[in-house]
Amino acid sequence: MKILLITISQLIFLFSYSQIKFLNLSNIDPVKKELYIGVENVIKIVGSDYTKNSNLLISSGRITSLDSNKYLIIVQEEAKPVILTFLKGANIVLSDTFHVKIVPIPIARLANLKDTFGTVNQIVLNPFLTIVLPGCNLKNNFSIISFRTSLIKIEGETTTLGLVAGHVLPADQIEAIKLLRPGDKIMFDDIRVIGPDDRTRKLGSLIITIK
C-alpha cells in the first residue's frame, strides 16, 4: 500500500510538470521553439505558479525578467540553438531547445495584392502599403514611415507624384491612379520602415502593373 501511494504521488508530480511549457509571445505560433535574432522575444512559462525561487536560465543571449513567469530574451548568434531551463529552487522543472533564426528582409506589398498586378479598382479600394516577412513566424511589427510614388505610362513617360508620410496613399495620388490604363505602372520606391528593433530600413522598390 505504501509503495502504491508513492507511485501515485510520483505520477501526479510528473503529470503536473508535463503541463508546463514555454510560449514565445512574440511569434505568430507561440508554441514553435523559435527565437529571432536582434529582437525582443517575450517568453512566457505556462502551467506553473510563479514563486520567488522560480528562475529561467539560457545557454546564450540576454535575459530580463518582466513579471511572473514572463521573460524577455535577446539573442545575437544564429550559429547554435539556445537551451532554456526553468528552475524552481535547485530543481529543473522544464528544459527545452529553441532554434535561432534571422528576421528576413521585409518586403513591401500594395494592400492585399499577392503579386505585382492589380486593377485600378483594387488599388483604389485598398490604397495602402503593407509589409510582409516571407516564411517568418515572428509577429510583424514593422511600420512604414514614408515612401515615394511614381506613375509610369505604357508609352514610357514617368510622373513623380511625391513623397508620402505613413503607409496610406493620399487623395490626390488616388485620383491620379484612377486615370491609369492597363499596361501602365505604379512605382513605390524610397520605402522606409521601422522595425521591432527600432532600426529604420530602406526597402526595395515595388512596381505594380495595371491589368
Side-chain angles (χ1 to χ4, degrees):
M1 186 67 177
K2 188 174 181 181
I3 295 174
L4 180 61
L5 288 173
I6 293 173
T7 303
I8 292 173
S9 64
Q10 286 175 335
L11 286 172
I12 293 172
F13 175 82
L14 290 173
F15 177 77
S16 63
Y17 275 0
S18 70
Q19 305 306 302
I20 301 174
K21 59 185 176 182
F22 294 121
L23 297 180
N24 188 344
L25 302 184
S26 300
N27 288 346
I28 297 169
D29 182 355
V31 177
K32 282 189 175 181
K33 304 297 186 295
E34 296 174 346
L35 298 173
Y36 284 89
I37 292 177
V39 300
E40 296 179 344
N41 297 271
V42 179
I43 300 295
K44 184 175 183 179
I45 301 163
V46 297
S48 175
D49 294 330
Y50 179 79
T51 60
K52 288 184 178 180
N53 65 345
S54 298
N55 194 19
L56 181 64
L57 304 178
I58 57 174
S59 58
S60 63
R62 290 187 330 213
I63 184 168
T64 304
S65 178
L66 298 177
D67 53 37
S68 58
N69 281 8
K70 193 181 289 185
Y71 301 84
L72 189 151
I73 292 176
I74 297 178
V75 292
Q76 299 294 348
E77 298 180 23
E78 191 191 15
K80 55 185 178 181
V82 171
I83 299 172
L84 303 188
T85 304
F86 181 54
L87 303 173
K88 280 195 173 183
N91 298 318
I92 296 176
V93 176
L94 178 64
S95 184
D96 222 330
T97 300
F98 280 68
H99 297 287
V100 179
K101 297 196 168 186
I102 295 175
V103 179
I105 297 173
I107 295 174
R109 276 188 182 164
L110 180 58
N112 297 319
L113 295 182
K114 295 183 178 180
D115 55 28
T116 55
F117 293 86
T119 64
V120 168
N121 192 49
Q122 284 177 309
I123 297 166
V124 169
L125 288 175
N126 296 285
F128 57 88
L129 296 185
T130 59
I131 296 296
V132 295
L133 299 173
C136 183
N137 188 36
L138 181 69
K139 288 180 180 177
N140 190 342
N141 291 319
F142 284 84
S143 300
I144 296 174
I145 53 180
S146 65
F147 62 92
R148 180 171 53 221
T149 310
S150 299
L151 305 182
I152 305 170
K153 292 296 186 70
I154 195 170
E155 298 85 3
E157 178 188 351
T158 299
T159 303
T160 299
L161 300 183
L163 285 171
V164 177
H167 71 290
V168 181
L169 287 161
D172 61 320
Q173 294 193 8
I174 294 173
E175 290 304 313
I177 289 170
K178 287 180 180 179
L179 301 176
L180 296 179
R181 298 170 300 167
D184 292 340
K185 297 179 179 181
I186 310 172
M187 181 173 70
F188 302 101
D189 66 346
D190 200 16
I191 304 169
R192 298 183 184 273
V193 302
I194 188 166
D197 54 2
D198 293 326
R199 224 166 27 98
T200 299
R201 298 167 171 82
K202 182 179 177 181
L203 305 189
S205 301
L206 170 64
I207 298 177
I208 302 295
T209 301
I210 301 299
K211 62 180 183 180

